[in-house]
Amino acid sequence: MFAIDTIFHRLQRGCQTMRYPDGPAPALPDRHGGGLRVDSAKCLPGCSDCVPVCPTRAITRPGKGRLKLDLGNCIFCAACVEACPAKAITQTGDHRLAARRREDLQLGPPGAEQVRLAAALDGKLLRLFGRSLRLRQVSAGGCNACEADTNVLGTIGWDLGRFGIQFVASPRHADGLLITGPVSRNMELALRKTYEAVPDPKLVIALGACAIAGGPFSGLPPVHHGASGLVPVDLFIPGCPPHPLTILDGLLRMLGKLEGKAGA
């Protein structure tokens, strides 16, 4: 009787998994703000009001040069948006932030007002991982915020497994690593050994400002300047922490699963 009641209750609830990417993406919380956009043409000559308010030194404007914003090291606090008198830095409300190359997260130069979104894997790698991707998550000194938002993807509402993406316990069973945290000195050896244990060919994903560039800990002796100085990175997903939708979008872009989708 208990089994029948359970089945009946589940049928009453219906499907709890979101339709995205076959349907519209869920809305970001009002306080999130999404990605940032930089319009250097609006910058006032000699103005550097946004530079000192950035807690991670993600904004630079050397001399009289162009404003540069490193989204990889940005924690999206929006302090620069409030400080800019010319509104040259604005929030877009866009969840799409992942990039395949580190330089694609550098905003400011002409043609780089917004992040250049990740392209799909090429050729053999896409054939190998496009239908099935197993990841070993490595928390390399993180605060657990990025890890928590990654865990959300395994819930019934998101159901990451429907895309063939799963997290595994052993690097020997994995196709790649998903790294969080600034890579503390104490975690350096563990990260290197975990990377070496993953069979070739393999992928590496740097998740969050810490794993990409050190985040709030950038430049401090106990940590590295992100993961890319230790292992090659194939996908960068910025944020502090990245929203689950941003993480999912980056993974699906890398695997070529958003081609032809509305809003891709």
Side-chain angles (χ1 to χ4, degrees):
M1 181 63 70
F2 175 77
I4 295 176
D5 290 344
T6 301
I7 294 173
F8 180 72
H9 178 66
R10 291 290 177 86
L11 290 175
Q12 280 188 317
R13 292 182 61 185
C15 180
Q16 299 293 307
T17 304
M18 67 181 68
R19 289 182 51 80
Y20 176 82
D22 294 325
L28 293 175
D30 293 338
R31 65 183 180 275
H32 190 282
L36 298 179
R37 177 184 174 88
V38 175
D39 187 348
S40 296
K42 289 185 177 181
C43 278
L44 301 176
C47 177
S48 296
D49 289 359
C50 59
V51 176
V53 301
C54 180
T56 59
R57 299 178 295 278
I59 305 176
T60 57
R61 191 175 186 182
K64 297 181 179 180
R66 290 184 176 272
L67 174 70
K68 294 182 180 180
L69 170 58
D70 180 8
L71 272 190
N73 209 29
C74 176
I75 62 172
F76 297 89
C77 64
C80 57
V81 176
E82 298 177 6
C84 181
K87 304 302 179 186
I89 306 176
T90 55
Q91 293 176 299
T92 65
D94 196 340
H95 67 271
R96 301 173 299 172
L97 292 169
R100 290 289 309 282
R101 303 184 304 167
R102 181 70 178 87
E103 55 266 32
D104 287 343
L105 297 175
Q106 307 286 339
L107 307 187
E113 289 80 15
Q114 291 181 238
V115 61
R116 285 152 285 189
L117 297 175
L121 295 169
D122 297 326
K124 181 180 179 181
L125 289 179
L126 186 58
R127 291 194 298 271
L128 283 172
F129 304 131
R131 297 180 62 185
S132 175
L133 179 66
R134 304 291 186 265
L135 296 172
R136 175 66 167 95
Q137 198 272 322
V138 179
S139 180
C143 69
N144 207 41
C146 290
E147 293 86 340
D149 275 3
T150 301
N151 289 342
V152 168
L153 296 178
T155 62
I156 190 173
W158 296 83
D159 190 14
L160 186 64
R162 63 191 161 122
F163 304 108
I165 307 172
Q166 294 181 348
F167 291 96
V168 295
S170 171
R172 300 190 186 280
H173 301 159
D175 301 311
L177 303 180
L178 186 143
I179 303 170
T180 58
V183 190
S184 63
R185 300 290 176 180
N186 289 339
M187 280 298 297
E188 177 182 349
L189 180 60
L191 175 59
R192 290 186 185 275
K193 286 189 173 183
T194 305
Y195 175 79
E196 292 169 359
V198 179
D200 291 322
K202 48 196 166 189
L203 303 173
V204 175
I205 301 164
L207 180 67
C210 289
I212 295 175
F217 309 101
S218 178
L220 298 180
V223 301
H224 284 277
H225 193 62
S228 58
L230 299 173
V231 294
V233 176
D234 301 283
L235 182 68
F236 300 87
I237 306 180
C240 186
H243 191 276
L245 183 58
T246 299
I247 303 172
L248 179 59
D249 177 83
L251 294 174
L252 296 183
R253 286 183 185 282
M254 183 179 68
L255 298 179
K257 294 181 179 292
L258 288 183
E259 296 176 2
K261 303 290 185 181

